[in-house]
Amino acid sequence: MKCPTCGSLEDRVIDSRTAGDGSAIRRRRVCQSCSRRFTTYERIEWNPPLVIKKDTSREPFSRDKVLSGLRKACEKRPVPADRLELAVDKVERMVQESGETEILAVRIGEMLVEELKQIDQVAYVRFASVYQEFADPSEFAKLLGTKESESRGVE
Ligand SMILES: [Zn+2]
């Protein structure tokens, strides 16, 4: 694996374990040239469905995009990175198991909103507010309404 720091192809695996729910192998590697440590994940290859966006353009489902969306929503929140990996694993699996060749972006947004709801309330509302761009506004209002009554309950 090419070292992200020096580009050397010589590395040594120093740790190897299953990640997420066992659907991936996580390997810690150390570069033989510069000693940089980095992590790789090995997963079963699959052809991701196309995601249909609001403007009806399509792009392949991207695990990385989903993960970076979640990371953004969880910025400065006490959410472990592993927890987000697990959430993305779950959403990816649902998309996989749907067997669809195309899936609406709004559908993926719904899955993520559901996951975030169980992870972190602030991140949940943040994500939901981005998600409103492509969701039904009445649905979004309902989401916010739920959040407000819940936080009032806690205070
Ligand atoms: Zn290196």
Side-chain angles (χ1 to χ4, degrees):
M1 190 64 64
K2 192 173 173 183
C3 169
T5 301
C6 73
S8 165
L9 292 172
E10 302 299 320
D11 69 76
R12 192 162 54 86
V13 174
I14 50 176
D15 185 44
S16 183
R17 63 181 69 177
T18 56
D21 59 357
S23 60
I25 307 282
R26 179 183 185 275
R27 292 199 167 91
R28 281 295 283 165
R29 297 169 182 269
V30 58
C31 174
Q32 303 280 54
S33 307
C34 72
S35 301
R36 159 82 190 255
R37 292 185 175 208
F38 55 101
T39 304
T40 57
Y41 288 89
E42 183 180 312
R43 293 190 169 79
I44 293 170
E45 187 182 54
W46 65 295
N47 284 325
L50 291 177
V51 176
I52 307 171
K53 299 194 288 184
K54 194 186 178 186
D55 64 3
T56 72
S57 66
R58 272 107 162 130
E59 62 178 33
F61 174 84
S62 159
R63 183 193 163 85
D64 288 345
K65 271 197 177 170
V66 168
L67 185 58
S68 70
L70 287 185
R71 284 214 178 108
K72 204 164 183 188
C74 294
E75 235 165 53
K76 297 184 178 150
R77 296 296 304 159
V79 179
D82 282 1
R83 186 66 191 82
L84 293 184
E85 287 278 347
L86 274 180
V88 177
D89 282 349
K90 194 174 162 193
V91 168
E92 191 178 33
R93 200 166 56 240
M94 286 191 284
V95 169
Q96 250 169 329
E97 284 169 359
S98 75
E100 301 289 345
T101 53
E102 295 192 321
I103 187 163
L104 288 169
V106 67
R107 189 64 205 97
I108 293 170
E110 281 165 9
M111 294 177 192
L112 294 171
V113 165
E114 279 309 305
E115 289 304 307
L116 277 178
K117 204 184 208 171
Q118 295 159 39
I119 296 173
D120 185 273
Q121 284 295 308
V122 171
Y124 161 62
V125 170
R126 273 185 199 157
F127 189 85
S129 67
V130 174
Y131 161 73
Q132 70 164 325
E133 282 175 28
F134 51 90
D136 175 15
S138 68
E139 278 300 307
F140 179 66
K142 214 159 66 187
L143 284 175
L144 280 187
T146 311
K147 163 62 190 157
E148 272 167 19
S149 55
E150 274 169 15
S151 57
R152 242 179 267 129
V154 182
E155 280 159 15

